[in-house]
Amino acid sequence: MENKLTHVNESGNAHMVDVSGKAITGRIAIAEAYVDMKPSTLSLILSDQIEKGDVLAVCRVAGIMAAKKCSELIPLCHGLNLSAVSIDFEPQDVNDSARLRIVSTCKLNAQTGVEMEALTAVSVAALTVYDMCKAVDKAMQVNGVRLLEKHGGKSGSYYADN
């Protein structure tokens, strides 16, 4: 496989990739992000005691909405008709701190992949955690945004840890 930037044309100008000649295939992308926080903040989230409301419910909706709006946020992304978007949360204890792992799975049948949608979903969900909880923990950090897996299309499958 060639290593070249697909969003740069022969003249060096940015452009949207022409996918009209590509086959429509089933595609899936899974991404993750972490929000590191005080253990007390995670406890407030899990017991639904954050003043702004149900953090996990709001973050789930924010992530889904972000995936749907990805082409409006990332300039050269194609607008996609997503078949499914899920956002899941996993609270974790890490030494003397805590973190919330956020995982997004995006699916569709299309001529182009869905990686950016999954990455955007976890990013916005993580930023929404920060927004909803900043009154009790301004030191929270969003970390580890990455693609875990992708399936479908000409390049096949990708696994981050392989």
Side-chain angles (χ1 to χ4, degrees), residues 51-131:
E51 200 171 305
K52 286 189 174 183
D54 184 339
V55 173
L56 300 182
V58 173
C59 292
R60 181 172 283 116
V61 171
I64 292 167
M65 289 175 63
K68 291 167 60 173
K69 297 286 189 180
C70 186
S71 66
E72 295 175 33
L73 300 169
I74 310 292
L76 302 177
C77 280
H78 293 85
L80 300 178
N81 187 16
L82 297 170
S83 301
V85 178
S86 66
I87 308 287
D88 296 301
F89 303 99
E90 180 186 331
Q92 300 179 337
D93 294 322
V94 182
N95 301 324
D96 293 332
S97 64
R99 68 182 182 183
L100 186 64
R101 180 178 186 238
I102 305 168
V103 177
S104 171
T105 302
C106 294
K107 298 178 182 179
L108 54 65
N109 293 314
Q111 295 168 300
T112 189
V114 70
E115 298 92 340
M116 293 310 300
E117 287 71 15
L119 288 162
T120 300
V122 294
S123 299
V124 170
L127 291 171
T128 303
V129 170
Y130 188 93
D131 180 55

